[in-house]
Amino acid sequence: MAQLTIDESAATALGQEAPDEQRRGFWTAGAGVFVLWNAFTLAGALLGAALGDPRRFGLDGAAVGQLAEWRLGNRWLHVEVSRWYCGRRG
């Protein structure tokens, strides 16, 4: 049950007004994330093993680059959402 009780399932449930829709949103989001997370983890493990040495493709720094982009992207998104929420559109 703990794997289903995540931010996404809670947010989906809270975004609905009717109690039956809240339950459906909670279970659908939780189960969807659980299934897809595990499926793509398995796919990544299988494909990662098939790739061999990631340095052959220049992928040894890809994770660091992706993490940096993700953090910078989230910082921009946080600022934009804060501006919108506080009514300071620019």
Side-chain angles (χ1 to χ4, degrees):
M1 180 71 168
Q3 289 86 3
L4 301 178
T5 308
I6 54 176
D7 295 345
E8 291 81 359
S9 58
T12 304
L14 291 173
Q16 311 307 314
E17 293 184 19
D20 61 327
E21 290 295 317
Q22 289 176 341
R23 276 190 295 281
R24 184 181 355 203
F26 176 85
W27 288 108
T28 302
V33 170
F34 178 78
V35 168
L36 292 174
W37 187 282
N38 286 302
F40 282 104
T41 298
L42 177 62
L46 296 174
L47 293 172
L51 275 177
D53 186 11
R55 289 179 290 189
R56 287 188 324 186
F57 305 104
L59 297 176
D60 50 333
V64 175
Q66 178 60 39
L67 179 62
E69 187 277 331
W70 178 74
R71 292 297 297 157
L72 292 173
N74 275 349
R75 173 71 57 184
W76 174 84
L77 181 62
H78 175 72
V79 169
E80 291 301 311
V81 168
S82 297
R83 284 183 183 160
W84 175 82
Y85 185 73
C86 295
R88 295 188 305 260
R89 297 190 178 113

